[in-house]
Amino acid sequence: RRSRGGIDSAVFTVYSDPESIRGLVREESGYDVVVRIRPVLNPQLLRNLLLSRPAVQRYLIVGIDPGIEVGIAAIDLNGNVVLLKSGRGLDREDVISIIRNLGRCLVVATDKCQPPDFVRKVAAALGARVYSPERDLEVSEKEFAVSKYAEEHGVEVRNTHIRDALAAALEAYRYLESKARELEERLAEMGLDPLALDLGKYKAKLIEGSTIAE
C-alpha cells in the first residue's frame, strides 16, 4: 500500500519447499514485520492430478453364504449394491471369478463368528481380508438389517442365501464406516472436496491397515 512517504505496507507471498527454508526462516511477529509460515495446497497441481488420474477402481465388500446354494452380496464402499446373487453348485472358482469381474474385493464377510473354510479360501485367493462378527448373527438381526436396507435402496432380496450374504456385507460395512467418515472430515478440514477425489482408493488403504494420518 502506497503512501506519501513511499510504501506504507507490503505483503510478500513466497512459495517454497519446506525443506529449503528449514532453519533459515522462522515465524515472528513484531511492530514492523510479521512472518507467517503455513502449508498451502497448490490448486493447479491438484486439478492436474485429478485430470490425469486413471479410471476409478471399484472397491468391494462381499458377503458370502456358503452351502449347496451359495449366496453372494457385493456392495461398494458407499454401501450401494453391486451384485445380489445365489446359485446351486457354485464352487469356489466360480465365486472368485464372479467377484473378480465386478471389481477389487477388499473384504470377504460372513455372518458366522468362525469363518467357514469356503470364505477363508475365497478371501485368500482375492487377497482380501476376512470379516466375521464377534458372535453369529441371529436370524432376526439379519431380517431387520436387510429389510431396512432393501427398502431404503429399492432392491429385492429373493431368498435366505442372499439375505445372509447381504447381512454379512452390511455388518462389515458398518464396522468400517466410522473410519471412512473420519477420512471425509479430515479432507474437508484440509479444504478438499471429498466428492472431487477418488475416495475409494483412500478408503481401501484404511481397510488394508493404513491410518488416517498416513
Side-chain angles (χ1 to χ4, degrees):
R1 188 167 66 243
R2 294 186 179 277
S3 68
R4 291 182 180 180
I7 301 295
D8 186 51
S9 65
V11 175
F12 295 87
T13 303
V14 182
Y15 296 96
S16 177
D17 172 51
E19 294 300 321
S20 302
I21 64 171
R22 196 181 303 279
L24 299 175
V25 180
R26 67 178 185 276
E27 290 200 80
E28 63 177 83
S29 180
Y31 180 78
D32 295 315
V33 177
V34 176
V35 179
R36 297 190 183 94
I37 302 171
R38 62 187 178 93
V40 177
L41 182 68
N42 185 326
Q44 184 58 48
L45 175 61
L46 177 60
R47 279 193 292 271
N48 291 343
L49 287 172
L50 292 173
L51 290 172
S52 64
R53 71 187 182 197
V56 174
Q57 171 79 57
R58 180 157 65 178
Y59 298 97
L60 304 171
I61 295 170
V62 177
I64 296 178
D65 178 49
I68 295 173
E69 183 164 353
V70 178
I72 307 170
I75 61 177
D76 64 21
L77 299 189
N78 293 317
N80 299 312
V81 164
V82 176
L83 176 74
L84 297 176
K85 177 184 179 67
S86 68
R88 291 179 68 86
L90 289 177
D91 64 21
R92 196 165 67 238
E93 292 305 318
D94 293 330
V95 173
I96 291 167
S97 177
I98 290 168
I99 296 171
R100 277 187 174 144
N101 287 333
L102 297 174
R104 181 181 165 199
C105 179
L106 298 172
V107 177
V108 177
T110 175
D111 62 350
K112 306 296 185 186
C113 63
Q114 292 296 326
D117 281 348
F118 190 97
V119 169
R120 290 183 184 276
K121 289 176 179 177
V122 168
L126 295 170
R129 288 178 54 186
V130 174
Y131 174 83
S132 59
E134 293 181 353
R135 56 176 177 77
D136 292 355
L137 298 182
E138 300 284 347
V139 171
S140 58
E141 292 176 298
K142 293 185 284 191
E143 286 281 4
F144 177 78
V146 169
S147 61
K148 181 180 178 184
Y149 178 89
E151 183 179 344
E152 290 174 350
H153 289 77
V155 297
E156 181 185 0
V157 179
R158 297 192 309 275
N159 56 50
T160 57
H161 308 291
I162 293 175
R163 178 203 67 192
D164 290 356
L166 181 55
L170 293 175
E171 186 74 11
Y173 176 76
R174 279 193 290 270
Y175 176 78
L176 300 165
E177 193 178 20
S178 61
K179 278 194 172 185
R181 281 199 300 268
E182 187 180 346
L183 171 67
E184 292 180 10
E185 290 168 3
R186 187 69 61 87
L187 288 169
E189 289 171 5
M190 294 167 62
L192 297 174
D193 178 6
L195 297 178
L197 300 170
D198 177 10
L199 272 186
K201 70 178 181 181
Y202 298 110
K203 290 180 180 179
K205 288 181 181 295
L206 291 178
I207 293 171
E208 290 167 343
S210 295
T211 64
I212 292 286
E214 288 168 335

